[in-house]
Amino acid sequence: MLMAREETVCVIIAAKNAEKTIGKAVGSALAQPEVAEVVVVDDGSDDRTMAAAAAANDASGRLDILGFVQNRGPSAARNRAIAVSRAPLIAILDADDIFFPGRFRQMLACPDWDFIADNIAFMAETEPLRQPAQFAPRPRRLDLKAFVEGNISRRGAPRGELGFLKPLMRRAFLDAYGLRYREEMRLGEDYELYVRALANGARYTVIESCGYGALVRENSLSGRHRTEDLAALHAAERSILAAGGVSPEALGVMRRHCRQIGDRHALRHFLDSRRERGIGAALAYAFGNPATLPAIAGGILRDKAETAYRRLRPQPPVPAGPRYLLPASPAEPA
């Protein structure tokens, strides 16, 4: 039985060539009793993504499948789903991820929030699907400074940026501040939306309970960012800083994150130029933009040092079982 109308959820799934995984994603969303709508937007796939999504329908009338003829990116797909849906709470589910049973029950037990996110279990695609460990919720409030700081990458540490969080969002808050995904962005679009929400005073709660499972693929392209995608993220963050309104407490860490993205873009641009047009063109770019030289030189040296280190010292085997985004302690027995 669905909960009261004001507590129902719309799950949005943007999908591109997700024929192999979309069925599990849709099924896990429809299995949540709080879900009133599941909106799948096929973003210009050239496989059977739409058919695979339809095959997961449970005949409850809650599944809506839309499609773009041409690929427009996840931001445009999500905005389209928001526009056609009506439920007051919005959840994002990637097409190769799943919800674990009871996810929204745990989240909706917490009061007073505009955004609420739970823990994420990162699971290797080669391992069998398992229920996550049981963690106590331990809700805490996340402010803009802490959120941005949690997205600053650290060399040698596993990817664990807080921008990976998949919060449940109140439509009323998004509408009140005109918040939607920036459709020119294909990298960091979640991070950028959450930053704008927090800058507008969103109450963002995080719980340690785990209800979201993210599939980690070998040789994933997700970490190989395109130059233009890094440029769009850098431009968006600079736009937020230029608009003002960022609290003094968060301003310094936002500038630091923005510099880090700018450095990544400069290095990526240099490497692309070298690959596509030769070392002469790459050096012309670097010396024509002298401010980028430290980022380029430092990035190349770090990459070479890490490659040499991996050759000299083989990496230890990865422990079996999921890795969790948020450090958490096991829940106490009932």
Side-chain angles (χ1 to χ4, degrees):
M1 178 180 295
L2 289 174
M3 300 179 67
R5 176 65 185 173
E6 63 270 20
E7 295 296 327
T8 58
V9 178
C10 171
V11 176
I12 291 171
I13 305 175
K16 171 71 186 300
N17 292 340
E19 176 185 351
K20 294 181 179 179
T21 61
I22 188 70
K24 288 183 178 179
V26 170
S28 75
L30 290 171
Q32 303 280 326
E34 299 83 3
V35 169
E37 303 171 277
V38 176
V39 182
V40 175
V41 180
D42 185 320
D43 190 17
S45 295
D46 52 22
D47 67 358
R48 299 182 68 257
T49 291
M50 293 184 78
N57 199 346
D58 65 353
S60 64
R62 293 177 292 159
L63 179 62
D64 191 8
I65 302 173
L66 313 175
F68 291 156
V69 174
Q70 295 182 327
N71 177 258
R72 294 173 54 186
S75 294
R78 291 171 179 175
N79 284 344
R80 175 60 177 160
I82 292 172
V84 303
S85 62
R86 293 292 176 266
L89 303 177
I90 297 170
I92 303 298
L93 176 60
D94 288 346
D96 52 0
D97 295 343
I98 62 165
F99 294 149
F100 292 113
R103 185 196 191 211
F104 294 129
R105 174 178 51 78
Q106 295 180 98
M107 300 171 91
L108 293 175
C110 296
D112 303 324
W113 50 266
D114 303 300
F115 287 58
I116 184 168
D118 58 355
N119 213 339
I120 296 178
F122 294 101
M123 308 171 297
E125 65 174 339
T126 55
E127 293 187 358
L129 182 63
R130 302 177 183 176
Q131 282 293 112
Q134 296 299 311
F135 301 127
R138 297 185 181 89
R140 60 184 172 90
R141 192 57 58 83
L142 192 63
D143 63 15
L144 178 57
K145 178 183 177 183
F147 176 73
V148 175
E149 201 162 35
N151 285 278
I152 294 177
S153 298
R154 292 164 179 81
R155 287 273 170 176
R159 295 183 71 198
E161 291 94 335
L162 295 184
F164 290 164
L165 292 171
K166 291 290 190 291
L168 191 56
M169 304 177 283
R170 291 199 183 277
R171 184 187 298 271
F173 186 91
L174 297 178
D175 289 347
Y177 293 96
L179 296 175
R180 293 294 187 269
Y181 292 95
R182 290 188 184 273
E183 298 194 2
E184 71 274 16
M185 296 183 68
R186 291 173 179 257
L187 169 70
E189 68 279 355
D190 299 297
Y191 165 83
E192 194 275 341
L193 179 70
Y194 307 156
V195 164
R196 284 188 286 135
L198 286 162
N200 279 289
R203 299 167 300 168
Y204 196 139
T205 294
V206 176
I207 60 175
E208 294 178 7
S209 307
C210 183
Y212 192 101
L215 188 67
V216 180
R217 297 178 180 276
E218 293 184 5
N219 302 318
S220 172
L221 296 176
S222 62
R224 304 175 191 175
H225 304 142
R226 299 188 309 168
T227 304
E228 55 266 39
D229 296 338
L230 285 164
L233 174 56
H234 192 218
E237 191 152 28
R238 283 184 292 143
S239 176
I240 294 172
L241 287 167
V246 176
S247 67
E249 296 80 10
L251 194 57
V253 72
M254 273 202 69
R255 287 172 174 163
R256 182 181 167 197
H257 185 269
C258 191
R259 285 195 301 270
Q260 186 177 79
I261 298 302
D263 288 350
R264 289 181 186 173
H265 172 255
L267 177 60
R268 188 73 261 159
H269 194 293
F270 176 87
L271 295 174
D272 284 353
S273 297
R274 186 178 65 181
R275 185 185 67 253
E276 295 168 4
R277 292 179 291 157
I279 188 62
L283 291 174
Y285 164 73
F287 287 104
N289 298 273
T292 68
L293 286 170
I296 292 170
I300 292 172
L301 288 173
R302 282 193 301 270
D303 287 346
K304 289 185 178 299
E306 288 180 2
T307 299
Y309 180 81
R310 285 195 296 268
R311 287 174 178 169
L312 291 171
R313 295 193 61 178
Q315 296 299 304
V318 178
R323 175 178 69 85
Y324 296 95
L325 176 64
L326 303 174
S329 303
E332 296 179 0

